[in-house]
Amino acid sequence: MSEFRPPKRGYLSVSVKHLRFVNEILTASISIENEDVEMIYLKVTQDHLLISCSMDTDEFYLSRYAYFFLSKYLWFYHEKSFEDYYYPDFFDADNGTSKYLKIASNSKGLTIKLKEPFRNLFKPSVSLPIIPLKNEARRNIFLEPQLSDSLENDTPVIAYCILDPLNLHERYNEEKELTLLIPFTATLNNDKRNFKSLLTYLNSKTISDDLELNSEQLNLNDICEEMWENSFYFQMKNHKDENYSRTFSERKKLQFDLWKSALPQLVYERFMCYQWIYGLRYIKGKPTKKDICFCQVASDIPQLKFLLIDKGEYYFLDLKFMVNGKLSNFAPIFNMFFFAAAEKKPMKFYLLGSIADAEVVSYFSKISFRLPVLKKHYDTHLEPFVQQIVQTYGLKKR
């Protein structure tokens, strides 16, 4: 603790400049009003924030220079991450440099980034997904296809669109949306394969009796409606109704169960589309051609496969998946919850075997399906996680 505080009235001029970052230590200069410039030294460890300065600060006392440096860093936040300066064991102790970091100095201070091959390099204490000891995968359920070739060009047909919400701006899980399905109507071109025009999104209020649907499609539309009612957007609009008050965990379980119910019919649907969205509030009226693309949903259950690749001073822990004995890389820019897609066929979607699989894929999708780790961190921090992977999914070493 420190007894120093910013003045309640007036303005105190505090100038801070980050000078260098060597051997995990950030060196910065600080000037308070017209006083002499002093130096601040900061090191972030797994458990502590270490700070010192060229005046006064010792293990029992925080000087006013150190205090005002931290106050300037926090600005008006009550808390702020020091992740930008946490790189344990990333430096060569002999010369103070790092082969993993790109450190640039400019008029604004320092820019510290991991070099491209190491941009997701593992740091001790980071959160890792929970690997279940027992992973109960779903089973395939097959239905007889109910397709008709007698499609008139001017007769509306039903299509199904997978909506992939982008949740990058959402901070809290409870506010995040999950992948869902929505039907819409369209008319066809002469080839009866492509859309001539898109008509409207469908729900219980907009669906027409003139639309000829088989029993499986009627059931599928009910599932779509349940997925919509399970969304955070719908819950917010109906927050007074206790029937729609669910936690994110409850919504995930229900949504995955709904996808399992929908899958047997989706495999046979003639018109399947994909659309990424910024929020469900924009899903009104009708879709536009520029926003959707045709896709395919497969019935195969993908099996997650982990590879540990020895690169000398570090490892790569890679995640891939296997379908029908064929090993595939995940599509590089892919974060659609509940599903897997291969790099070579990014518009062919496989529903994952379990929610646990979905959580693992979601984590690795944020790091391009590759976790680099220094060997010294592997032995002391990552090995228990890898042992859980071995028990549940298996591990191949290269």
Side-chain angles (χ1 to χ4, degrees), residues 280-316:
L280 293 182
R281 63 184 180 275
Y282 300 113
I283 303 303
K284 298 177 181 178
K286 64 178 182 178
T288 57
K289 288 185 179 181
K290 67 179 180 63
D291 292 330
I292 67 171
C293 55
F294 284 106
C295 69
Q296 179 184 357
V297 177
S299 63
D300 304 282
I301 302 175
Q303 296 177 310
L304 302 188
K305 297 294 180 181
F306 284 89
L307 284 78
L308 189 66
I309 305 171
D310 192 331
K311 303 296 286 186
E313 294 183 4
Y314 56 91
Y315 293 115
F316 282 148

Side-chain angles (χ1 to χ4, degrees), residues 126-383:
V126 301
S127 297
L128 293 167
I130 297 175
I131 305 296
L133 295 179
K134 293 183 179 180
N135 192 24
E136 297 181 2
R138 64 179 178 85
R139 296 180 179 179
N140 270 337
I141 301 174
F142 296 98
L143 297 174
E144 289 296 325
Q146 298 187 36
L147 299 178
S148 172
D149 291 323
S150 58
L151 298 175
E152 300 296 334
N153 295 354
D154 57 348
T155 302
V157 297
I158 191 167
Y160 291 90
C161 187
I162 298 174
L163 299 181
D164 184 7
L166 295 181
N167 293 309
L168 302 181
H169 63 290
E170 299 291 0
R171 181 177 177 183
Y172 303 106
N173 277 341
E174 297 300 328
E175 299 176 4
K176 288 185 177 180
E177 295 293 5
L178 296 163
T179 311
L180 72 162
L181 188 70
I182 189 170
F184 68 91
T185 52
T187 55
L188 301 176
N189 286 332
N190 291 330
D191 59 11
K192 296 184 181 181
R193 294 182 178 182
N194 295 294
F195 297 136
K196 179 179 180 181
S197 61
L198 308 181
L199 301 180
T200 183
Y201 289 116
L202 294 179
N203 56 42
S204 58
K205 297 178 181 178
T206 60
I207 197 163
S208 171
D209 294 333
D210 298 332
L211 195 62
E212 294 185 6
L213 304 177
N214 59 47
S215 60
E216 295 298 335
Q217 288 173 327
L218 290 172
N219 180 57
L220 198 53
N221 289 352
D222 289 340
I223 294 174
C224 292
E225 191 78 11
E226 287 188 70
M227 286 186 178
W228 182 270
E229 292 177 357
N230 192 42
S231 69
F232 179 74
Y233 173 75
F234 185 88
Q235 286 192 104
M236 287 300 294
K237 292 185 67 175
N238 299 272
H239 64 277
K240 294 181 180 180
D241 191 334
E242 294 182 359
N243 294 326
Y244 302 116
S245 179
R246 304 184 184 113
T247 65
F248 184 57
S249 179
E250 291 170 336
R251 289 197 293 120
K252 274 193 298 187
K253 184 180 184 307
L254 175 57
Q255 201 80 342
F256 185 68
D257 289 341
L258 291 170
W259 274 113
K260 288 192 293 184
S261 299
L263 186 68
Q265 177 61 22
L266 286 182
V267 172
Y268 298 116
E269 281 302 318
R270 188 183 299 272
F271 303 108
M272 285 296 306
C273 300
Y274 168 86
Q275 177 183 357
W276 59 262
I277 58 173
Y278 281 109
L280 293 182
R281 63 184 180 275
Y282 300 113
I283 303 303
K284 298 177 181 178
K286 64 178 182 178
T288 57
K289 288 185 179 181
K290 67 179 180 63
D291 292 330
I292 67 171
C293 55
F294 284 106
C295 69
Q296 179 184 357
V297 177
S299 63
D300 304 282
I301 302 175
Q303 296 177 310
L304 302 188
K305 297 294 180 181
F306 284 89
L307 284 78
L308 189 66
I309 305 171
D310 192 331
K311 303 296 286 186
E313 294 183 4
Y314 56 91
Y315 293 115
F316 282 148
L317 180 62
D318 286 5
L319 175 61
K320 303 176 186 292
F321 71 93
M322 182 177 287
V323 172
N324 296 326
K326 183 178 180 181
L327 191 65
S328 298
N329 293 322
F330 280 86
I333 303 176
F334 186 83
N335 60 359
M336 190 167 72
F337 208 72
F338 302 133
F339 287 89
E343 184 177 22
K344 293 183 178 180
K345 293 184 178 180
M347 284 294 107
K348 185 174 183 178
F349 302 137
Y350 301 91
L351 183 65
L352 291 164
S354 66
I355 290 183
D357 287 358
E359 297 286 6
V360 171
V361 171
S362 178
Y363 175 86
F364 275 85
S365 71
K366 297 178 177 65
I367 56 173
S368 302
F369 302 99
R370 165 167 285 182
L371 179 63
V373 54
L374 298 179
K375 284 189 174 178
K376 59 181 66 177
H377 291 160
Y378 177 86
D379 295 335
T380 56
H381 294 89
L382 197 67
E383 192 167 20

Side-chain angles (χ1 to χ4, degrees), residues 36-47:
D36 292 339
V37 174
E38 299 294 344
M39 306 303 292
I40 298 293
Y41 309 98
L42 182 142
K43 181 176 180 178
V44 183
T45 72
Q46 184 175 343
D47 304 308

